[in-house]
């Protein structure tokens, strides 16, 4: 049986004050309608983007199947294309020129100039597009982390993952379906790093992933002009129902010193969480010195201790 399904609330005409004071502190996803995004929603056609976005080489994922398999990267390839070529290919269904197959799909997540050192910022990498888009003014300027240009072929599905920044995902053109899961349901998602191993969320293999049926599934459809607020740590899985482009803006929720300074993607765990995970690995190595019966007993006691000391009492 599939888990409970819940709609993501949609709200129109939300002011900065209402967002900051009432909505943001709830740490729940929301679709915001009617936000002033500038001219991008009408201007960013395939022709316009291929002309104005330029010929610069961009790194992309090319998928021979719609559901990208990030675990084995089976049928997913990393390639580069000039931006204008990418736009044209991603917007068409069958390709005359292709890497793997005539119906391959494309995904762009834009990167910084030097992806190891710089965060993505659409205003720097695509300066001619900057004037067309206004970021929602919900956050303080100093919270800004990055702005990422995203582009996807129709039908492509991005695996379920979490990011560590607050996020406003601006759907500029095209439609997509986004399914979200609460950070509190992480125990049902079979995580591998920041990603869930359950690729087929609509028809999951429950023999392999029985707990997945307990995960509460929040769902929304985004159309051009919609903005989805994804709080940090909320899992999201995205299917592009049509070819479309979007921009997501990551904002820091915590003070900047809490984040990993080498993170350019917005998905490295806060440093205190990584340090705690390293200490836990050491604790596990120490427990391994005991025979199984004792290791099991003390491991269970440690789990109870963590639950008692570190779980929040405020969450359902
Ligand atoms: O809409 C997309 O293509 C992916 C969105 C996403 O993962 C993000 O904004 O963090
Ligand atoms: Fe994401």
């Amino acid at each position: 049986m599939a888990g409970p399904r819940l709609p993501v609330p949609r709200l129109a005409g939300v002011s900065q004050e209402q967002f900051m004071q009432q909505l943001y502190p709830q740490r729940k996803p929301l679709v915001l309608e009617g936000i002033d995004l500038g001219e991008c929603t009408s201007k960013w056609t395939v022709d316009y983007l291929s002309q104005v976005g330029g010929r610069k080489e961009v790194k992309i994922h090319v998928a021979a199947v719609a559901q990208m398999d990030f675990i084995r990267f089976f049928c997913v390839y990393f390639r580069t294309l000039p931006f204008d070529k990418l736009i044209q290919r991603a917007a068409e269904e069958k390709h005359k020129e292709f890497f793997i197959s005539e119906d391959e799909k494309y995904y762009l997540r834009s990167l910084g100039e030097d992806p190891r050192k710089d965060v993505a910022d659409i205003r720097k990498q695509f300066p001619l597009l900057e004037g067309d888009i206004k970021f929602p003014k919900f956050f303080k300027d100093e919270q800004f982390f990055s702005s990422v240009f995203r582009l996807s072929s129709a039908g492509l599905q991005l695996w379920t993952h979490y990011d560590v920044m607050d996020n406003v995902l601006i759907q500029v053109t095209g439609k997509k379906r986004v399914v979200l899961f609460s950070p509190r349901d992480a125990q049902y998602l079979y995580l591998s790093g920041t990603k869930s191993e359950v690729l087929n969320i609509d028809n999951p293999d429950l023999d392999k992933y029985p707990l997945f049926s307990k995960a509460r599934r929040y769902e929304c459809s985004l159309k051009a002009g919609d903005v989805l607020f994804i709080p940090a740590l909320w899992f999201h899985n995205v299917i592009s129902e049509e070819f479309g482009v979007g921009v997501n803006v990551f904002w820091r929720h915590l003070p900047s010193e809490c984040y990993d300074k080498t993170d350019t993607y917005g998905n490295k765990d806060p440093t205190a969480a990584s340090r705690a995970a390293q200490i836990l690995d050491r604790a596990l190595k120490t427990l391994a010195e005991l025979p199984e019966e004792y290791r099991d007993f003390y491991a269970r006691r440690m789990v109870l201790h963590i639950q008692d000391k570190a779980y929040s009492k405020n969450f359902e």
Side-chain angles (χ1 to χ4, degrees), residues 93-124:
E93 236 166 74
K94 291 242 184 287
H95 318 296
K96 283 199 198 77
E97 286 179 276
F98 51 81
F99 295 106
I100 303 129
S101 71
E102 60 172 12
D103 51 7
E104 65 194 18
K105 301 189 184 305
Y106 300 86
Y107 189 77
L108 167 74
R109 180 220 186 277
S110 69
L111 301 169
E113 259 4 280
D114 176 350
R116 281 170 309 163
K117 293 203 205 98
D118 307 318
V119 298
D121 189 346
I122 187 172
R123 299 171 297 193
K124 292 194 185 131

Side-chain angles (χ1 to χ4, degrees), residues 107-108 150-152 158 161 163 167-169 171 176 178 230 236 238 240 248 250:
Y107 189 77
L108 167 74
R150 300 195 182 249
L151 184 157
S152 175
L158 189 67
H161 67 279
D163 302 295
N167 188 359
V168 292
L169 175 58
Q171 189 66 22
K176 74 180 44 147
V178 187
I230 310 176
H236 42 289
V238 182
S240 295
N248 87 278
F250 281 130

